[in-house]
Amino acid sequence: MTVKFNNPADSDGRAFIASVSGDAVTFAATLANGSVDAASRRVYSSKDTPTFTDAVLRFAKEVSLGLEEAQFVIAVAGAIRGDSVRVTNGRWFISLSGIETMLRKRPLVLNDVSAVAWSTLSLSPRDVRSLDAVAAKNEMSSRCAIIWIGEGLGAACLAVDDENRAFVLDGEGGHMTCPLDTDDQKELLGPLRLRHGHLSYERALIHCSRQPWDVCLFISLPAQRHLSYRSMA
């Protein structure tokens, strides 16, 4: 997937961003230089807000942001397929055509883990803590696997080709089947598989966790020659 942003010089450079999870949405506006305006950050519960559109209008009113004047970027916990996007483990459905009618422009919509993968392009070495002393001495690979552990478990791959073009391939790694190979695994997670019929890595992780997660892992992948990348706009 490749992403094209409008040039800030074509407008006042402002945008607003939404991160949609199963039970809430977090909004923020950007300043003219592209940085996030921390004072504009708002979090609205889906239980208290009937629709996603209601949340958008509420945010725009509170921060005095003209919707037609700014770009709109939405990161959604869910698969981006078709016009109607269902939020995983949530009650909202997001109509892209409805948002486009309201804004008079098409919003940029990404899977939440894909958005995390794109954001890593702006990281510097001081933003990352290495878990592998040997790998820390080597240069970062041009391909990285992104493992995002938040409310659930997600995966994506970030690749940069020889012409310095970035690509993100997203996936549903958290929904893969979690095997039960050892006696300890069977004792701990066997009842969960019996209850739900299918045991995914995401379900196993959430079941075993006693506290909320907010972790992003970058795994350098070995470089391979003759890789072909396809742009998926």
Side-chain angles (χ1 to χ4, degrees):
M1 177 179 184
T2 59
V3 177
K4 179 181 179 181
F5 293 93
N6 292 334
N7 189 332
D10 296 337
S11 63
D12 64 359
R14 297 200 71 188
F16 65 107
I17 307 164
S19 177
V20 188
S21 65
D23 57 3
V25 56
T26 302
F27 288 103
T30 64
L31 301 173
N33 63 3
S35 63
V36 174
D37 180 5
S40 69
R41 185 177 182 273
R42 301 288 191 279
V43 180
Y44 306 131
S45 169
S46 59
K47 295 180 180 180
D48 303 328
T49 312
T51 68
F52 177 72
T53 301
D54 292 324
V56 172
L57 294 174
R58 177 180 173 184
F59 171 73
K61 181 178 180 180
E62 289 185 5
V63 300
S64 301
L65 178 65
L67 295 178
E68 298 178 7
E69 302 172 0
Q71 298 182 65
F72 188 15
V73 181
I74 312 172
V76 183
I80 313 301
R81 300 191 184 100
D83 179 71
S84 182
V85 179
R86 180 184 180 278
V87 181
T88 302
N89 299 324
R91 58 189 294 267
W92 281 343
F93 285 84
I94 300 176
S95 170
L96 302 186
S97 59
I99 297 295
E100 182 176 8
T101 299
M102 181 174 64
L103 301 179
R104 297 186 181 179
K105 65 181 68 174
R106 190 75 171 177
L108 175 60
V109 184
L110 304 172
N111 170 266
D112 57 343
V113 184
S114 294
V116 171
W118 282 111
S119 71
T120 62
L121 291 171
S122 63
L123 292 178
S124 65
R126 66 175 180 273
D127 298 318
V128 180
R129 185 179 67 179
S130 176
L131 302 180
D132 186 335
V134 176
K137 298 178 181 180
N138 301 325
E139 293 183 1
M140 180 67 75
S141 169
S142 60
R143 297 192 303 144
C144 291
I146 310 296
I147 309 298
W148 173 253
I149 308 172
E151 290 190 349
L153 174 65
C157 179
L158 171 68
V160 180
D161 67 10
D162 294 337
E163 297 181 13
N164 207 33
R165 296 176 300 178
F167 300 82
V168 168
L169 305 176
D170 54 12
E172 295 294 331
H175 297 162
M176 294 174 59
T177 299
C178 178
L180 303 182
D181 297 325
T182 68
D183 291 338
D184 288 340
Q185 291 173 344
K186 293 175 182 177
E187 181 181 356
L188 178 63
L189 299 172
L192 195 64
R193 182 168 65 179
L194 289 175
R195 184 190 312 164
H196 296 283
H198 174 258
L199 179 62
S200 65
Y201 282 106
E202 179 177 84
R203 181 167 284 155
L205 179 69
I206 294 174
H207 175 74
C208 295
S209 175
R210 296 181 179 272
Q211 60 184 359
W213 293 72
D214 192 8
V215 179
C216 186
L217 302 177
F218 309 88
I219 304 174
S220 293
L221 302 177
Q224 295 183 9
R225 296 182 178 179
H226 309 300
L227 287 175
S228 61
Y229 298 93
R230 182 178 64 176
S231 172
M232 296 180 290

